[in-house]
Each structure stands twice: as structure tokens, then as C-alpha cells.
């Protein structure tokens, strides 16, 4: 430490340090994007190029062979459909149950309200693995194992979704609801015509979160579907492709499948991310 | 958190019926598919199991068995890896994320774009993340050839098979995966601080580093609280990435084993004699994990609650 003690704000040391941090940030931003760029590039290589060492970065003759091949190996269309059904229905269900329960918790007073809400909070971050075995047995005992319904139904209500909706609906002015009641609107109408539009950004964020999570989920569908490959979502089909090729990895093939599987959540992210940012800011996660 | 209490509304039968109707779907699904399995999981940890069948009541015997050999080595190893994982993510992801958020906050231009770039890997499935990085890090792979051409490495890149490095590689991949979250949360948190606070500090001659440490950090406690809690919950639930990249045994030689991969082996018969499940032991482990997560999460939230700066 020299006589001055602390670094001056605009001294050479501070500027150098700041420049270094900016460079590091840019480097990590590039690193964030690099694997994904590499994924897409690899999916366009010919098998020979994909196996080459040292690796070829840019395919010389971009080809869609890998996409054709991956479609021959796993039923891409069917897997995609399964993923869409699982993520789509689960997301719709979560939005509906969260909106309704969040509304009740925020705007009604009823017996056991506090107790029910406390249970919701307490189990919000329950590790899914803890309930995996009993849940699997339960789904089996009601005859839903190996089916898409078995994957979907247990996830139709979500504690985090209820919590999020309750927080946001609590901020909707009561006067708005009372005015609608005086006009003779039913409670259902109030919920869907007044409350839902008022919390639309939070709903959009929850939709993004739920869809991405359930599109990508792995352990639960793998457990329920138990080898019924017809019902595999794309993520599981892809992971099986990986294990087939564990000895001699055909990079292009796996990357073609991965590129396809990334598209739906990515498109949703591009469209809904601004709501996500807004909701995080407004949720209280970052303070008042 | 916004907790404006609902006002006492006129009690009407119509409204009561609606309340019940609105809560019912979530309540039924939640009780059936979350509360009931949780209860039976906790209850089942007190029994001896044969295959998937519950046998005699054994009290805390399963819990005692967890803490003696042959389980103890696995349990303590996995727990240590989870602790390292938590600390690694706190530094690599949340620490760097804070610095990046601050740089973005200072610069403003291009913030939204860079936030998206950082957040982008978070939409990938852990399966894809794992597959992608395994291919990138394979001997003869892209990273190896990149390091070769930069002159940073000679010979083969074998870190995924190296028991000293493998865990840290996974932690770094996880940090890469979720880097966008701290950047997003901290940027939002920084924007909620009164601009006058920064101006006053700057007039007093405080440098950027000092402003971040002494002015911004104390006001970012709610963001730090959210991120620490989420990080804790996620790291102690770590499964997919290990499973895809290193297999259910946490290769090499259990160096990347976590509590959940250990649970998975016990429950699905990949621990000890292959095909023999030990559900009692698995459920005891699950119960402890649940207790650990609940107790520490509440502790963390209380700890940060006391340190929140109020105006």
C-alpha cells in the first residue's frame, strides 16, 4: 500500500482494472454464445468434417445431412409433439391454477387461508427427488404410468406460480374489483377480465418459466415413461442418442438434434424476456 | 415483498363459494401429487424395504445406516461436493455476475443485449448443456484445439476424467449455464437504488470499486438474499448435469458425486450390488435433504432479513 492509500477514481490503476473487467465481461459474453454457435455450425458439418481433428470450425460445404440422419434415428416429429404437449398443457394448467389460487389468497378471506398459504410457501422449494418414488408409485396406481398424462397431471399446480400470482394480484386495487362487482360482474368475470389483464406481465413471465422448465425437464418424464419410447419428449430422445454414440460420438448428429430441441424455448425467450425482466424487478426479489 | 393485506370485504356467500372454487383445483392437485408423496416419503424412511415394497418398522435405523460404512464415505463425499458446488457458484456465478451487472449499470449502452446473451444458456436443457460441454471438452475436441492454438496446453485435455478437476469443470459449466440470472437480478437491484446515493458518493471522491463495495452492496441485500437462497436450493438439488456428463456414479471414482446422484443410485439400484435397491436408505437421505434445505433456507432468509437496509 503506498502513501495515497486508496486508488484514485480515475487514476491509471483504476482505468486499467476497469478495462480488464470489461474485457473479461466481453470474453464471457463471447463464451456464453460460443458453444451455441458451435452447436449450430457442427450440425451443418458432413460426418467426415465432424470427426476431423483438429476440428473444423466452419463447415466447408454446409449440409443438412445430420438433420436427415437424426430424423431417421429418433422420431423427431413425434418427440417434438410429445414435448409440445407436455410443456404446453402443463404451462396452461399452471397459469390457470396459479391465477385462480393466487386470486383467492390475495383477495378473499376464508378459513385456513393463512395455513394453506404457509404450506404452499414451505413446500415451494421441495427437492423434486424427495417425492419421486412415492409419486411414481401413485401415478402407477392410478394407471397413468408410461403415458403423457402421467407426466403432465402431477405438475398442473405449482407452489411458485401460486406465490408469484398472489404477490402480484395483491397489488391490484380493491376499488377496481368492487366497482366491477357493483356493475354486477361475476367473480369469474372479474378474475379473467380485470385481474388477469392487470397482471399480464407476471403471467407472461410465469409462462416462459414454466414452458422452458417443462420442455427441458428430464428426470420426471424419464421415470414415468419407463422405456415407452413413443412418448419420449425430445430431450430424452436426444439423451438416448448420446448413449448410443458414447463410444464414437457423432458430433454432427447430436448437435443437429440439440439445435432443433433448443428452438422452441429460445423463440419463447426472445418474445417474452422483457416480461421476465420486469417481473423479476417487481417481484420483490431485488428489494422494494 | 409486496404484502398489502386484502381489505375486509363484505362477507357474501357468493364470494365464499368462489374462493373455494378458485383454490380447489390447485389444492386437490397439490395435496395429491406433492403433500401426499412428501408425507409418504418421510413416513417410508422409517421402514425396511424389500425392492419397492415396504416391510417392517425400523425407526431411525435407516438414518443410522447412512452415517456408517459403507454409506458414510459416499454420503460425506457427496455432501462435500455439494458444499464446494455452492461456494463455487457463489464466487464464479454470483460474484462475477455482480461485477458484470455493475459494469453494465455504469455503462448502460448495450445492457439489454448483453443481459440477453448472458441469459441465453439458461433456456437450454441440462441434457443439452451436458452433451454440448462433454463434446467440447473431449480429447481432440474444440476446447483442446483452441487451447493448443493459444499455446495454453500441450498434450491431451483430460480434465473431465481427472478427479481433482472434474468437479470444478462441472461447477464452471453450471456457472456458465446460469450466469444470466445474477446479472439480471443485480442490474435490476442496482437500478432501484436512488441515483442521489451514487452521486453523493462520487462527489466525496469514492472510486467505482469503493462505491460498489461500500455503497451499493449494503443496498443490494435483497438481491443477494434471493440469489444465495436460490443458489443453495439449486446446488443441493444438482443432478442432471452430473448424470449427463459424468454418469450416475459421478465419475471419475465418485469425484463428482452429489447427494441427489447418490439418492438416485440407492433408489434405483445402482449402488453396491447392481439392481438391488435400498429404498429405506434413499428415503432417509431424501428426508435429511428436505430438512437441510428447509432449515438452511429459512436460516438464510432470516439472516439476510436482519441485514436489509431500510429507508
Amino acid at each position: 500500500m503506498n502513501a495515497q492509500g486508496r486508488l484514485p477514481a480515475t487514476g491509471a490503476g483504476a482505468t486499467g482494472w476497469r478495462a480488464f473487467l470489461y474485457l473479461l465481461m466481453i470474453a464471457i459474453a463471447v463464451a456464453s454464445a460460443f458453444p451455441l454457435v458451435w452447436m449450430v455450425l457442427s450440425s451443418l458439418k458432413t460426418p467426415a468434417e465432424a470427426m476431423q481433428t483438429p476440428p473444423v470450425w466452419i463447415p466447408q460445404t454446409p449440409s443438412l445431412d445430420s438433420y436427415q440422419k437424426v430424423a431417421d434415428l429418433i422420431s423427431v416429429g413425434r418427440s417434438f409433439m410429445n414435448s409440445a404437449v407436455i410443456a404446453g398443457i402443463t404451462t396452461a394448467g399452471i397459469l390457470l391454477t396459479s391465477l385462480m389460487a393466487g386470486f383467492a389468497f390475495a383477495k378473499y378471506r376464508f378459513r385456513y387461508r393463512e395455513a394453506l398459504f404457509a404450506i404452499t410457501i414451505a413446500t415451494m422449494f421441495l427437492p423434486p427427488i424427495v417425492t419421486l418414488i412415492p409419486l411414481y408409485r401413485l401415478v402407477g396406481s392410478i394407471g397413468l404410468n408410461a403415458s403423457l398424462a402421467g407426466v403432465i397431471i402431477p405438475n398442473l399446480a405449482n407452489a411458485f406460480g401460486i406465490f408469484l400470482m398472489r404477490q402480484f394480484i395483491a397489488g391490484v386495487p380493491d376499488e377496481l374489483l368492487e366497482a366491477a362487482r357493483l356493475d354486477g360482474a361475476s367473480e369469474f368475470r372479474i378474475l379473467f377480465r380485470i385481474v388477469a389483464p392487470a397482471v399480464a406481465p407476471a403471467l407472461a413471465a410465469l409462462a416462459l418459466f414454466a414452458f422452458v422448465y417443462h420442455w427441458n425437464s428430464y428426470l420426471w418424464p424419464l421415470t414415468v415413461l419407463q422405456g415407452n419410447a413413443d412418448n419420449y419428449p425430445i430431450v430424452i430422445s436426444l439423451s438416448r442418442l448420446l448413449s448410443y454414440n458414447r463410444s464414437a460420438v457423432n458430433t454432427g448428429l447430436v448437435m443437429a438434434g440439440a439445435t432443433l430441441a433448443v428452438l422452441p424455448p429460445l423463440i419463447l425467450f426472445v418474445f417474452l424476456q422483457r416480461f421476465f425482466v420486469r417481473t423479476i424487478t417487481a417481484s420483490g426479489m431485488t428489494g422494494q | 415483498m409486496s404484502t398489502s393485506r386484502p381489505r375486509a370485504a363484505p362477507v357474501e356467500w357468493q364470494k365464499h363459494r368462489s374462493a373455494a372454487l378458485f383454490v380447489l383445483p390447485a389444492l386437490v392437485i397439490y395435496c395429491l401429487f406433492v403433500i401426499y408423496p412428501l408425507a409418504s416419503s418421510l413416513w417410508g424412511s422409517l421402514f425396511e424395504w424389500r425392492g419397492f415394497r415396504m416391510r417392517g418398522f425400523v425407526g431411525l435405523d435407516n438414518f443410522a445406516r447412512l452415517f456408517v460404512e459403507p454409506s458414510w464415505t459416499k454420503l460425506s463425499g457427496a455432501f462435500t461436493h455439494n458444499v464446494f458446488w455452492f461456494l463455487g457458484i457463489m464466487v464464479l456465478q454470483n460474484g462475477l455476475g455482480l461485477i458484470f451487472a455493475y459494469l453494465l449499470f455504469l455503462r448502460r449502452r448495450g445492457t439489454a443485449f448483453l443481459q440477453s446473451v448472458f441469459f441465453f444458456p439458461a433456456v437450454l436443457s441440462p441434457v443439452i448443456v451436458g452433451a454440448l460441454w462433454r463434446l467440447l471438452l473431449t480429447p481432440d475436441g474444440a476446447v483442446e484445439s483452441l487451447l493448443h492454438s493459444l499455446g495454453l496446453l500441450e498434450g491431451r485435455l483430460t480434465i473431465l476424467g481427472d478427479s481433482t478437476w472434474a468437479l470444478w469443470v462441472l461447477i464452471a459449466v453450471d456457472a456458465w449455464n446460469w450466469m444470466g440470472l445474477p446479472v439480471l437480478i443485480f442490474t435490476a437491484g442496482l437500478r432501484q437504488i436512488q441515483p442521489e446515493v451514487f452521486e453523493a458518493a462520487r462527489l466525496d471522491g469514492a472510486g467505482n470499486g469503493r462505491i460498489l463495495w461500500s455503497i451499493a452492496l449494503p443496498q443490494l441485500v435483497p438481491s443477494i438474499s434471493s440469489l444465495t437462497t436460490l443458489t443453495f436450493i439449486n446446488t443441493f438439488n444438482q443432478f442432471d448435469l452430473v448424470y449427463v456428463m459424468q454418469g450416475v456414479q459421478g465419475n471419475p471414482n465418485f469425484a463428482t458425486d452429489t447427494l441427489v446422484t447418490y439418492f438416485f443410485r440407492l433408489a434405483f439400484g445402482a449402488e453396491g450390488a447392481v439392481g438391488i435397491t435400498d429404498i429405506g436408505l434413499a428415503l432417509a437421505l431424501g428426508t435429511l435433504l428436505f430438512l437441510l434445505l428447509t432449515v438452511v433456507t429459512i436460516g438464510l432468509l432470516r439472516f439476510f432479513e436482519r441485514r436489509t437496509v431500510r429507508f
Side-chain angles (χ1 to χ4, degrees):
Chain A
M1 215 25 90
N2 60 22
Q4 271 95 30
R6 69 197 134 115
L7 288 169
T10 50
T15 315
W17 187 225
R18 210 168 141 183
F20 167 74
L21 288 173
Y22 272 114
L23 277 178
L24 185 66
M25 183 168 73
I26 306 271
I28 295 199
V30 171
S32 286
F34 162 73
L36 305 156
V37 173
W38 186 78
M39 177 174 88
V40 177
L41 288 177
S42 301
S43 72
L44 299 172
K45 290 174 189 167
T46 57
E49 268 177 332
M51 301 304 273
Q52 215 164 311
T53 47
V56 185
W57 295 99
I58 314 275
Q60 294 304 305
T61 47
S63 86
L64 293 174
D65 278 6
S66 297
Y67 289 86
Q68 181 61 52
K69 267 220 201 97
V70 82
D72 290 342
L73 265 178
I74 57 174
S75 35
V76 172
R78 173 128 202 174
S79 296
F80 243 75
M81 204 57 210
N82 292 333
S83 286
V85 167
I86 291 171
I89 296 180
T90 308
T91 303
I94 287 175
L95 289 182
L96 191 65
T97 55
S98 302
L99 189 65
M100 295 200 317
F103 181 49
F105 279 127
K107 294 295 182 192
Y108 292 129
R109 293 166 65 130
F110 51 93
R111 213 191 293 179
Y112 310 126
R113 185 182 76 170
E114 307 305 324
L116 285 174
F117 194 62
I119 293 174
T120 314
I121 301 282
T123 54
M124 189 153 75
F125 295 119
L126 180 73
I129 196 92
V130 171
T131 57
L132 187 70
I133 297 170
L135 191 57
Y136 170 64
R137 288 157 57 94
L138 176 67
V139 166
S141 72
I142 51 179
L144 291 178
N145 50 359
S147 73
L148 289 180
V151 179
I152 294 166
I153 291 172
N155 289 318
L156 288 177
N158 178 280
F160 172 70
I162 295 171
F163 172 76
L164 193 74
M165 282 304 126
R166 186 230 174 238
Q167 294 302 94
F168 278 85
I169 294 173
V172 178
D174 285 345
E175 290 74 18
L176 219 58
L177 312 185
E178 288 305 330
R181 278 191 193 116
L182 288 177
D183 287 347
S186 71
E187 296 298 308
F188 265 96
R189 202 179 157 80
I190 289 171
L191 174 59
F192 290 105
R193 288 294 162 87
I194 293 172
V195 174
V199 296
L203 278 171
L206 182 60
L208 175 63
F209 173 80
F211 188 89
V212 171
Y213 186 88
H214 289 286
W215 180 275
N216 289 338
S217 76
Y218 178 64
L219 185 55
W220 174 241
L222 186 70
T223 310
V224 177
L225 296 174
Q226 288 298 328
N228 183 0
D230 280 350
N231 284 342
Y232 279 165
I234 184 77
V235 168
I236 295 182
S237 299
L238 208 58
S239 75
R240 290 179 78 232
L241 198 65
L242 270 173
S243 49
Y244 287 146
N245 290 290
R246 212 162 259 247
S247 48
V249 178
N250 190 339
T251 312
L253 214 62
V254 176
M255 293 299 107
T259 305
L260 289 175
V262 165
L263 282 177
L266 187 67
I267 291 167
L268 208 65
F269 171 70
V270 168
F271 281 107
L272 295 183
Q273 60 144 330
R274 62 204 171 96
F275 298 111
F276 191 64
V277 176
R278 214 192 293 174
T279 300
I280 281 191
T281 313
S283 69
M285 282 180 88
T286 56
Q288 295 291 358
Chain B
M1 305 271 166
S2 54
T3 46
S4 61
R5 288 183 70 85
R7 281 187 329 173
V11 183
E12 301 160 31
W13 183 76
Q14 149 81 20
K15 277 186 70 183
H16 265 289
R17 196 186 54 174
S18 307
L21 268 176
F22 287 146
V23 175
L24 213 57
L27 191 67
V28 169
I29 293 168
Y30 209 67
C31 283
L32 194 58
F33 296 111
V34 178
I35 306 294
Y36 164 74
L38 175 62
S40 59
S41 204
L42 301 182
W43 179 239
S45 69
L46 304 172
F47 286 80
E48 192 197 334
W49 291 68
R50 281 279 169 273
F52 279 92
R53 203 166 287 279
M54 215 153 99
R55 286 289 173 91
F57 185 81
V58 292
L60 296 176
D61 195 43
N62 289 323
F63 293 88
R65 271 203 301 139
L66 270 177
F67 290 91
V68 293
E69 296 302 345
S71 167
W72 172 243
T73 313
K74 302 281 169 56
L75 181 72
S76 55
F79 179 77
T80 313
H81 300 149
N82 277 123
V83 172
F84 283 163
W85 205 306
F86 172 73
L87 297 176
I89 292 296
M90 285 305 288
V91 174
L92 279 177
Q93 182 187 292
N94 298 345
L96 270 184
L98 171 66
I99 293 172
F100 293 166
Y102 188 57
L103 292 173
L104 290 176
F105 174 72
L106 288 178
R107 196 166 176 82
R108 304 229 171 213
R109 257 183 46 223
T111 303
F113 173 72
L114 277 174
Q115 269 181 338
S116 297
V117 172
F118 282 127
F119 202 81
F120 184 41
V123 305
L124 300 178
S125 162
V127 173
I128 294 178
V129 170
L132 193 56
W133 279 101
R134 220 180 62 189
L135 291 175
L136 282 168
L137 292 169
T138 185
D140 286 331
V143 171
E144 188 193 87
S145 104
L146 194 68
L147 291 175
H148 279 172
S149 57
L150 292 172
L152 293 170
L153 176 90
E154 281 171 26
R156 296 277 78 104
L157 183 77
T158 53
I159 37 175
L160 277 181
D162 182 327
S163 46
T164 11
W165 285 106
L167 180 70
W168 295 100
V169 175
L170 295 198
I171 294 171
V173 170
D174 192 31
W176 168 83
N177 198 177
W178 288 100
M179 180 60 91
L181 196 65
V183 172
L184 202 72
I185 287 181
F186 281 130
T187 320
L190 283 165
R191 287 199 180 137
Q192 281 168 300
I193 300 174
Q194 310 282 328
E196 294 81 20
V197 177
F198 289 111
E199 276 156 33
R202 216 171 287 279
L203 286 176
D204 286 346
N208 278 323
R210 197 173 165 77
I211 291 177
L212 174 62
W213 182 256
S214 339
I215 311 289
L217 211 56
Q219 307 231 23
L220 286 173
V221 170
S223 309
I224 298 171
S225 171
S226 308
L227 281 168
T228 309
T229 314
L230 282 177
T231 301
F232 175 74
I233 292 162
N234 288 336
T235 49
F236 276 80
N237 271 310
Q238 196 51 247
F239 173 80
D240 295 6
L241 202 57
V242 180
Y243 186 72
V244 176
M245 288 183 76
Q246 304 295 74
V248 77
Q249 308 281 350
N251 290 327
N253 194 26
F254 302 105
T256 57
D257 198 16
T258 64
L259 290 172
V260 178
T261 44
Y262 182 41
F263 175 101
F264 190 86
R265 289 200 306 276
L266 289 172
F268 295 100
E271 177 70 21
V274 173
I276 308 293
T277 60
D278 197 339
I279 306 270
L281 207 58
L283 292 182
L285 178 59
T287 302
L288 287 183
L289 187 62
F290 173 60
L291 291 177
L292 178 80
L293 278 164
T294 311
V295 170
V296 177
T297 303
I298 292 171
L300 281 172
L301 291 174
R302 288 242 169 100
F303 172 85
F304 285 113
E305 182 68 27
R306 279 204 302 275
R307 276 157 187 79
T308 302
V309 179
R310 305 232 175 258
F311 302 99

